[in-house]
Amino acid sequence: TTSIQYAISRSEFVTLKVYNLLGKEVATLVNETKPAGTYNLKFDAANLTSGVYFYKIQAGSFVETKKMIVLK
């Protein structure tokens, strides 16, 4: 498992998805409107194979993608 922390300054529709190296979506962690605040999300990657993954967060016009490595 890993922890992903994010913060939003106002109520926004938030999506947080995990993609494999080929760009295929492998998990949707958040897909709803969230009120302003700081969030700490636990992600259990037990069903994923070892390798490099990316997670992308979108909140309003903000978009950020980060790399994540799964080791087993």
Side-chain angles (χ1 to χ4, degrees):
T1 62
T2 189
S3 181
I4 300 171
Q5 186 173 15
Y6 65 95
I8 52 175
S9 59
R10 63 175 185 251
S11 181
E12 295 275 8
F13 187 82
V14 177
T15 59
L16 198 156
K17 296 182 178 186
V18 179
Y19 299 89
N20 67 13
L21 213 60
L22 299 175
K24 180 183 175 192
E25 182 182 321
V26 295
T28 299
L29 307 179
V30 179
N31 192 32
E32 62 185 334
T33 301
K34 293 282 196 180
T38 301
Y39 298 89
N40 193 10
L41 179 69
K42 294 212 185 284
F43 174 55
D44 184 2
N47 62 336
L48 299 178
T49 59
S50 294
V52 177
Y53 293 86
F54 296 93
Y55 63 93
K56 180 168 88 170
I57 184 166
Q58 292 181 284
S61 61
F62 174 82
V63 178
E64 187 170 17
T65 303
K66 296 207 173 199
K67 184 166 67 170
M68 170 174 59
I69 298 174
V70 174
L71 294 175
K72 293 189 175 186

